[in-house]
Amino acid sequence: MFQREGVDFVRVLGETTTMTSQALVAGAMDFSQINLVQLLAANTSGADLVVVGGDVMVPIYTLIVDPSIKSYAELKGKRLAVAGPTDPLNYVLVRMLEANGLKPGEYEFLGLGGTPNRVAGVQKGGVAGALVNQPSDFKALAAGMGQLGRSTDYVDNFQYTVTGARRDWVQKNKDLVVRFLRAYVRACEFFYNPRNKETVIRVLMERAKADREEAVKTYDLYMQTKKTIPQRGGIDLTGARAVAQNWKEFGLKREPPPVESVIDLSYLAEAQK
């Protein structure tokens, strides 16, 4: 799809969300699927990043725990792995814990980075639990770990990650931005077309290093919710506002600008035509 639009790119996986935003600001990359909190944090520190499209809206994460833990109450006084101090998933995890009777201060967050590190932390006993996405959560459960619930049971309006870029670069490369987003929109539409199920499952197996059962479970879960992958590449403005309005809970040091000021969907609108 990207080749059809004449877009050639190298996909780079950032080690942490902070490093990803720093690389984007520094010009080491042109586009980034970055969590919205980090984009807002960068802009409050003087950057001028802009959201041009969506990515993950409501994230589906499973609270994976040590198999000895059977209830939320047993997490009291325990350490839980998170990606870092300002990761948006912390907001989600706090909501899950609060809904089950645990208040801040009754547990500890330990920053371990990405999903593989968090899973390893639970496996080795360094932490009691962690939020884990697909298909890693299915792998963890198959390996004997326990679970206490899914994020989507507690948080329904959220804009987790977005497609972002430097505003000056976007303005100078409008045609490329539109072509990139057009390919992205087509990819989202391709995912949701039931006729493409087997192709999507095969891609999940290849890209996520999942076996067929894990890939099928992931596909079925995403199709059931229809809120993780944007159906036409867009964003949930209500969810984006919720992120900006709760900036203190994400560990931001200063209030970010109004979220509308960092969103420019004119390029996406052109791509959707």
Side-chain angles (χ1 to χ4, degrees):
M1 295 175 189
F2 288 92
Q3 290 179 340
R4 186 189 309 170
E5 292 295 331
V7 177
D8 184 21
F9 65 92
V10 176
R11 184 169 177 260
V12 179
L13 296 178
E15 186 173 337
T16 66
T17 55
T18 300
M19 292 173 65
T20 299
S21 66
Q22 290 172 343
L24 184 61
V25 171
M29 59 180 69
D30 298 316
F31 285 107
S32 177
Q33 290 179 318
I34 181 176
N35 78 57
L36 181 56
V37 171
Q38 285 298 331
L39 186 145
L40 293 172
N43 280 12
T44 59
S45 297
D48 191 16
L49 303 180
V50 62
V51 176
V52 295
D55 188 32
V56 175
M57 293 190 295
V58 180
I60 305 176
Y61 277 75
T62 302
L63 180 51
I64 295 296
V65 294
D66 183 275
S68 66
I69 294 175
K70 306 300 181 183
S71 70
Y72 278 89
E74 294 176 64
L75 293 178
K76 189 172 183 177
K78 299 290 197 305
R79 295 196 300 179
L80 300 169
V82 297
T86 61
D87 189 81
L89 289 179
N90 299 356
Y91 171 86
V92 175
L93 184 51
V94 168
R95 291 294 175 275
M96 296 174 71
L97 296 170
E98 283 183 341
N100 288 278
L102 290 177
K103 301 176 182 179
E106 295 183 329
Y107 50 82
E108 178 186 354
F109 284 170
L110 179 65
L112 292 183
T115 294
N117 292 342
R118 299 199 301 273
V119 172
V122 180
Q123 288 177 322
K124 295 177 181 179
V127 292
L131 286 180
V132 178
N133 61 351
Q134 299 74 45
S136 297
D137 56 350
F138 295 127
K139 292 178 182 292
L141 293 173
M145 293 191 206
Q147 67 169 316
L148 292 182
R150 281 210 174 104
S151 58
T152 44
D153 295 331
Y154 300 90
V155 176
D156 192 43
N157 286 110
F158 199 69
Q159 183 65 49
Y160 182 34
T161 55
V162 295
T163 300
R166 296 180 306 283
R167 194 184 300 269
D168 60 343
W169 184 88
V170 168
Q171 293 171 343
K172 294 175 183 177
N173 296 275
K174 178 180 178 180
D175 179 66
L176 175 57
V177 173
V178 171
R179 286 187 285 117
F180 178 90
L181 291 173
R182 186 179 295 122
Y184 179 58
V185 169
R186 287 175 176 167
C188 293
E189 293 173 336
F190 185 93
F191 179 90
Y192 282 112
N193 188 331
R195 292 179 296 180
N196 300 322
K197 177 177 180 177
E198 287 303 318
T199 301
V200 172
I201 289 172
R202 185 173 68 252
V203 171
L204 283 170
M205 292 173 65
E206 294 172 355
R207 295 294 178 88
K209 302 295 188 292
D211 62 30
R212 179 173 175 81
E213 181 180 359
E214 294 161 351
V216 169
K217 287 181 178 179
T218 300
Y219 174 86
D220 289 343
L221 184 60
Y222 285 10
M223 289 296 285
Q224 177 185 347
T225 62
K226 295 189 184 303
K227 282 193 171 184
T228 299
I229 296 174
Q231 296 194 42
R232 297 204 71 213
I235 72 169
D236 177 357
L237 283 173
T238 300
R241 292 187 186 104
V243 171
Q245 290 167 359
N246 290 282
W247 60 277
K248 289 183 180 179
E249 295 191 47
F250 296 114
L252 298 185
K253 296 179 180 179
R254 293 191 297 276
E255 182 176 3
V259 72
E260 289 82 1
S261 70
V262 303
I263 297 174
D264 185 350
L265 299 182
S266 61
Y267 304 93
L268 179 63
E270 181 69 23
Q272 291 173 333
K273 292 181 180 178

